[in-house]
Each structure stands twice: as C-alpha cells, then as structure tokens.
Amino acid sequence: MIQNRFVLLFFLSPFLFGNVLYSQNRIPSQKEITELTTEATNLMKEGKFEKSLVKSRIALKYAIIAKDDNAIATCYNIIAANFDELTEPDKAFFYYQKGLINANRTTNNQLKNWLNNNLGNIYCFDKKQYTKGISHYKKSLEYSTKNRDSAEIVFTKLNITWAYFDIGRFNDGLPYLKFINKYHDKFGNESSNGVLNMLNGMYSSYNDEPQKAKSYFQKAIQLGIEQDFKSDLAFAYLEYSKFLLKNDDHKKAYKNLDLYNATNAKVIDEDKRKKVNVAGINLELDEYKREIDVIETKYKTKQQILLEQQSKNKQISLIIISLLILIIILFYFLFQNTRLKQKNKLKDIQSKIQEKIINASINGQEIERKKIANFLHDNISALLSAAGLHLSVFSSKNQLEVEEIVKTKLILREAHDKVRDLSHELLPSLLTRFGLCYTLNDLCEKNSNSRINFEYSSTMKTTVRYNDDFEIKIYSIIMELLNNIIKHSGATNAFIGIEEKNKSLFIHVRDNGKGFDSADYYTIEGFGLNQIKARINNIGGEITIISKVKSGTSIQIRAPITYQ
C-alpha cells in the first residue's frame, strides 16, 4: 500500500500543480521553468530521486504550457536520467527518446549531445544493440564537436571505444583510444581514469602485450577501489579475469571473477535500495522487531524439527558437493582429452602440409631435371656433335692438321661427353630406354666395389615397363636409399629386391651397417628419410623401417603401380 501511495503521488503531482497554473490563467516564465529544472537536477545528484521526479514533472508541465521545446527536452532528459540512476532502463529509454524528438527541433547542440550519448549507453549496455548505440554515440560526437567542447569529445570517444572493445572490434576502437590517451590528461575527467586504464588493458591484451595489459588492469582496479566507483570496478575485475584466463592463469582469473560477482552484487543491491526508497517501502523499527518476535515465537516449538531438517540438508549438501566435484573432475578430464585430440589433429594437419610442401618441391625438381636433361641431350649435345663434325669435314677437305684445330676438336668432344654425363645423371638414359628393372640392376653393379657389395634381385623380367613418372619416382626413392647406405651406414653388404604383387610394387632394401634407432628416425638429420616418406605417401605407398643400433637396417616399401 505504501508503494502505491507514492507512485500515485508521482503521477498526479504535475496535474495538481498544473491546475494551479491554469487557474492563474498565465504562461509560466522561462525563469520559473529553469529554477524547477535546476532544483530537480540538484535533487537527483543528492540521490533524492522521488523528489527530483516530482519537480521535473512539474517543470515538464510548465514547459508544455509554454510550448518551449528546449525546456520540454530538458525535462524529459532529467526524468530519464532519474530512471537511469534507478536502473529502470526501459523507462529511461522512453523519456530519452521523447526528449530527443523535442531537442531536434531546437539549436541546443549540448542537449542533443547528452540525449544521444544517454541513448547510446542504453542501446549498448542494456539492450545490447551495439550498432544503434554506436550510431547515437557518433551523433553525440558530432554535436560536441560543433560546440568545440573538448571535455565532451573526450568523454564520448571514451564511450565509443568501450562499445567497440566490448564487441571485440578493437581495430575500429583504436583511433578513438589513441585520441583519448593523447588528450585525456588535458580535457578528461579524473573519475574516468579507471575506465581509460581498463580500455588500454583490453587493447594490450588483444595486441598480445601481456605485461602492459596486466599493468593497465591493475591500475584500473586500484583507481576503482580508491574512487569507490563500484560499477567501473566491477567491469575492471571482469575484463582482468578474461585477460588472465586467456593467459592460462586460471587461479587468478577465477579470483577476479569472484571479485566481479561480489562487486556487481553490491551495485545491484544499491540499485535495489534506491528503488525501495523511491517506492516508499520504509518499515518502522518497532514494527520490524514485533514481526521478528512473532516469527521466533511461532517457530520456537519447532526447533527440534528444524535441527533434524538441517542435518538432512547437510547430508544432501555433501552429496551435491561430491557430485559437483565429480562432475568438475570429469569435465576437466574431458577438456584435457579434447585438447589433446585437438593438438594431435593440429600436428597431423601440420605434418600433411609439410608433406605436401616436400612433395611439391620434389615434383618440381623432377620435372625440371627431366626438362634440363632432355634439353642437354637433344640440343646442347647435338650442337656440340654437329660442331665437331663440321670441323672434321673442314680439316679433311683442306688436309689441315693444325694444332689449334686438333685441340678444338678434343675440347668439343670433352664438352660433349660432360654434357652427356650430366644429362644421364639428371635422368638416366637407361631408365627411359630400358625401364626400372634394368636400370636398378645396372645401378647396383656400378656402385659395388671392394668396400661394399650391392646385391640385386627381381622376380620380374628386365623388359617390364611402367608409367614414366612412376619409374622416375621409384628410381629416385631407391637412389636416395642407396646414397644413405653409402654415406652413413658403414655397411659391407647391401641388398635391393623388387617384386610385383596384386598391382603393387614391393621394394626391399637391407644392409649390415651400424643401423640406428628406428623409433627416432624422424629426428635424425642428414638421412632424408622424411623426404623419402613424403615421396612414398605422394604415390599412395607405405614404408616400414626396422633398424637397431649395430644391427643394420631393413626397409620395406609398397607402392601401387601406375602402368603405361
């Protein structure tokens, strides 16, 4: 009933006082309206919201009678600001909008600035409609810029920065933050130092500057505590906890999150008390005591039942806590397991990317080698042969055996031989003419000597041919394995065997060398085994490496055959 009485008074008061004006049959003066709005504003600053609302409603009635759009907009702004202070955003929003409609009919840029800024606050921080909120902030900035009000410009840009940062659009908010950092000391309000430090902390965290971010956040929290701005302090705790969580400092993150919750609860509690005061809910102390006495008398006889109930509640609480701990543990292990899977998946992706890069490089090298070999054989070698032939014909026709001509012929023959050797090294002519089996047999014979013997075995005819690219890739893989045996193994005997089964080529390479730990082959430098594995994967094959220190090495390869 008390609440209804005050609310009724609030809504009827303008009409009661307005009737006096009507009875006087005159239009209120601007001075009367200004005095009322000033008094209403001062009462709001003192926290006397119900009185401020009454005065501002009377002033509004006067302004409407006077048809003064500027005064009407001012009154709406004061009424909305009271509701804003009482955390009644919907009511505040309604009156701010009405105020802006009237303000837009005036040339009062300062009032338009305030109303747009206040609407921006509600859109961003109550309705979570950031696009509309930022739009109002920018309109507010236009009016404060027209007025050349440096303090208002800094204040509005602070709000714009906060709005952009709150939705993660740090690059959009950065120009405004730079402006504030530059001019805040000169034109800014000391009370917003905490917010500015928090914004700098948020950007430093986004920009991966943890030390700067930590320093800014701690300064923001310290200023919030010193100035007793609980709302700003709560936001500082929240953003600091996000920063700590991002940097895996979970303990401090949860601690600051608790501080945010506690501080925010105080803010909410203070807001509730404001509302209660405005609604007129003030119980007398003796009435409160009498109610307590009645409650104590009523439940005194049930004390034993309550004790039993408390005991049961404790047991239930213990069970619930145990279940919660168990759930937390399960979630922790699930989180760790998910994280491990993600890491393994990332490693697989990185490995595949690396493999593709290697394959692309190898394929490119093989194509270039083939091009260069063909060019040397078909062009350079042919040109050198032709030059030598022409020189020989010239010598025989003219019966000249001049020393310079003889030397030139020798140089041309040597150049021809070197070009031919280089061409065969890049792309063995045996491979292109006679195929893989014949070339591997020849390769083993050429590399066998008094220090190491290469044994070759094949279940296939030497005339068997496959796709050219397939033969070149298999030859390159085996060639690389032979080079490893010669350079690194220290072996005296080696074996290379190939056989065809079920449309797959099986390659066996063994040596009696010093071997290595096959479990760690991917970390050994110089062997090129990772490149060999990448080549085999590129043709859809498989490789198995079995090796032990001082026990030799055995490598088995299966490659799907690509026929001509």
Side-chain angles (χ1 to χ4, degrees):
M1 295 299 291
I2 298 172
Q3 182 177 356
N4 292 338
R5 176 166 56 82
F6 274 88
V7 172
L8 188 62
L9 176 62
F10 167 67
F11 282 103
L12 289 177
S13 56
F15 299 99
L16 295 172
F17 285 92
N19 288 336
V20 174
L21 288 172
Y22 281 125
S23 64
Q24 292 175 351
N25 197 25
R26 69 179 182 84
I27 296 174
S29 67
Q30 178 127 20
K31 182 180 178 184
E32 288 175 305
I33 299 170
T34 303
E35 286 176 355
L36 280 168
T37 53
T38 303
E39 192 177 352
T41 303
N42 292 333
L43 287 167
M44 182 179 66
K45 289 178 181 178
E46 293 169 11
K48 298 174 182 178
F49 303 111
E50 55 183 321
K51 291 183 179 179
S52 176
L53 284 166
V54 170
K55 291 288 182 183
S56 55
R57 290 299 293 268
I58 297 168
L60 175 62
K61 191 68 178 180
Y62 282 19
I64 291 169
I65 294 168
K67 297 180 181 180
D68 187 338
D69 284 322
N70 188 68
I72 293 169
T74 302
C75 293
Y76 278 135
N77 186 45
I78 297 168
I79 293 168
N82 273 285
F83 284 120
D84 223 344
E85 289 289 331
L86 294 167
T87 60
E88 294 279 1
D90 290 334
K91 291 180 182 178
F93 180 71
F94 173 77
Y95 286 106
Y96 281 138
Q97 283 192 314
K98 288 180 76 68
L100 187 58
I101 290 167
N102 285 275
N104 285 335
R105 297 176 187 148
T106 71
T107 57
N108 191 339
N109 289 332
Q110 187 177 42
L111 185 56
K112 293 176 190 176
N113 166 35
W114 291 342
L115 287 161
N116 276 293
N117 186 79
N118 292 336
L119 281 167
N121 289 339
I122 292 178
Y123 270 122
C124 287
F125 302 110
D126 291 302
K127 294 180 176 291
K128 301 299 179 184
Q129 296 178 24
Y130 287 91
T131 303
K132 290 183 179 180
I134 292 168
S135 174
H136 276 289
Y137 282 147
K138 289 183 176 180
K139 285 180 182 176
S140 172
L141 185 61
E142 285 178 19
Y143 292 123
S144 54
T145 304
K146 285 180 181 178
N147 285 346
R148 298 183 181 179
D149 190 335
S150 300
E152 283 296 324
I153 291 169
V154 169
F155 177 75
T156 308
K157 288 195 174 187
L158 190 76
N159 281 342
I160 296 173
T161 308
W162 195 340
Y164 274 131
F165 282 12
D166 207 30
I167 54 176
R169 291 170 59 180
F170 290 94
N171 291 329
D172 291 330
L174 180 59
Y176 298 98
L177 180 63
K178 286 181 177 178
F179 181 90
I180 303 162
N181 284 329
K182 185 176 180 180
Y183 295 106
H184 187 270
D185 288 342
K186 188 173 181 181
F187 302 110
N189 194 323
E190 190 177 343
S191 61
S192 60
N193 280 333
V195 175
L196 179 57
N197 276 281
M198 184 189 72
L199 294 174
N200 277 301
M202 290 169 73
Y203 184 76
S204 298
S205 174
Y206 163 77
N207 206 35
D208 290 328
E209 297 175 303
Q211 293 301 323
K212 286 176 71 176
K214 185 178 180 182
S215 174
Y216 279 126
F217 279 127
Q218 289 177 345
K219 193 171 181 182
I221 290 168
Q222 185 62 36
L223 286 166
I225 294 169
E226 289 173 0
Q227 296 171 344
D228 196 28
F229 293 153
K230 291 184 179 64
S231 180
D232 293 349
L233 180 60
F235 277 112
Y237 280 134
L238 179 61
E239 295 301 330
Y240 189 33
S241 70
K242 290 179 186 176
F243 161 74
L244 293 167
L245 193 63
K246 175 185 173 183
N247 287 273
D248 295 327
D249 194 345
H250 298 92
K251 189 175 179 181
K252 285 186 180 178
Y254 291 135
K255 182 181 176 183
N256 278 274
L257 193 59
D258 286 339
L259 289 168
Y260 161 73
N261 288 328
T263 309
N264 199 44
K266 288 179 182 177
V267 173
I268 292 168
D269 186 56
E270 286 180 1
D271 291 338
K272 283 181 179 178
R273 271 185 275 146
K274 288 177 184 177
K275 290 180 184 178
V276 168
N277 288 336
V278 171
I281 304 172
N282 293 309
L283 299 175
E284 295 296 328
L285 184 59
D286 55 345
E287 290 179 1
Y288 178 74
K289 286 180 178 179
R290 281 198 297 273
E291 285 185 18
I292 294 297
D293 290 338
V294 169
I295 292 167
E296 285 180 354
T297 305
K298 185 176 179 181
Y299 289 98
K300 204 168 188 179
T301 56
K302 299 181 181 180
Q303 189 173 9
Q304 188 62 37
I305 297 170
L306 286 172
L307 288 171
E308 290 175 3
Q309 188 64 39
Q310 284 175 358
S311 178
K312 287 180 182 179
N313 288 341
K314 283 181 182 178
Q315 291 176 359
I316 294 168
S317 297
L318 285 171
I319 293 168
I320 292 170
I321 290 167
S322 301
L323 286 171
L324 283 171
I325 291 169
L326 182 62
I327 289 167
I328 289 167
I329 292 168
L330 287 172
F331 269 113
Y332 174 76
F333 282 113
L334 182 64
F335 173 74
Q336 291 296 334
N337 186 43
T338 305
R339 212 168 153 194
L340 184 62
K341 284 181 180 177
Q342 288 176 343
K343 282 184 179 179
N344 291 334
K345 191 175 180 181
L346 185 61
K347 283 182 181 178
D348 289 341
I349 292 168
Q350 288 174 340
S351 177
K352 286 178 182 177
I353 291 170
Q354 188 177 8
E355 194 173 285
K356 285 182 179 179
I357 291 169
I358 292 170
N359 284 327
S361 176
I362 290 166
N363 290 338
Q365 288 175 6
E366 287 176 351
I367 291 167
E368 288 303 314
R369 284 163 71 99
K370 192 173 180 180
K371 282 183 180 177
I372 293 167
N374 289 331
F375 179 76
L376 290 173
H377 183 272
D378 297 339
N379 292 280
I380 306 300
S381 181
L383 289 171
L384 291 170
S385 296
L389 181 63
H390 287 309
L391 195 59
S392 296
V393 170
F394 176 79
S395 298
S396 63
K397 279 186 176 181
N398 295 281
Q399 297 180 346
L400 293 172
E401 286 295 330
V402 182
E403 184 180 353
E404 284 76 6
I405 293 176
V406 173
K407 285 183 178 180
T408 302
K409 288 164 70 176
L410 289 172
I411 290 168
L412 286 170
R413 189 176 296 113
E414 184 180 354
H416 175 270
D417 292 341
K418 285 184 177 180
V419 168
R420 182 195 61 200
D421 292 342
L422 178 59
S423 173
H424 290 171
E425 187 177 335
L426 291 170
L427 182 66
S429 60
L430 289 175
L431 185 63
T432 56
R433 289 182 182 180
F434 301 108
L436 181 66
C437 297
Y438 189 92
T439 307
L440 291 177
N441 190 17
D442 182 71
L443 185 66
C444 288
E445 287 180 8
K446 281 184 178 178
N447 284 283
S448 294
N449 52 46
S450 59
R451 193 178 66 178
I452 184 169
N453 178 56
F454 283 96
E455 181 185 350
Y456 173 75
S457 174
S458 173
T459 61
M460 301 172 295
K461 294 180 181 179
T462 55
T463 56
V464 173
R465 296 304 303 268
Y466 304 115
N467 177 274
D468 289 346
D469 286 339
F470 178 76
E471 288 187 340
I472 290 169
K473 286 175 180 176
I474 296 296
Y475 175 79
S476 299
I477 290 167
I478 295 173
M479 188 68 185
E480 188 69 35
L481 291 173
L482 258 65
N483 287 336
N484 280 344
I485 292 170
I486 294 166
K487 291 179 183 178
H488 305 294
S489 71
T492 55
N493 284 295
F495 170 83
I496 296 173
I498 61 171
E499 59 179 331
E500 184 179 333
K501 281 184 189 177
N502 300 325
K503 296 183 179 179
S504 291
L505 191 66
F506 289 85
I507 304 162
H508 309 278
V509 180
R510 297 193 298 271
D511 67 69
N512 65 347
K514 59 186 179 181
F516 58 91
D517 187 353
S518 57
D520 295 330
Y521 78 85
Y522 53 86
T523 62
I524 300 171
E525 296 291 337
F527 280 25
L529 291 175
N530 283 329
Q531 287 197 6
I532 293 170
K533 185 179 178 183
R535 290 185 187 205
I536 293 165
N537 288 339
N538 190 33
I539 59 176
E542 298 172 355
I543 182 170
T544 304
I545 301 172
I546 302 170
S547 183
K548 290 183 181 179
V549 178
K550 298 182 181 179
S551 297
T553 301
S554 175
I555 297 174
Q556 294 181 2
I557 297 169
R558 184 194 67 79
I561 295 171
T562 307
Y563 294 98
Q564 285 184 326

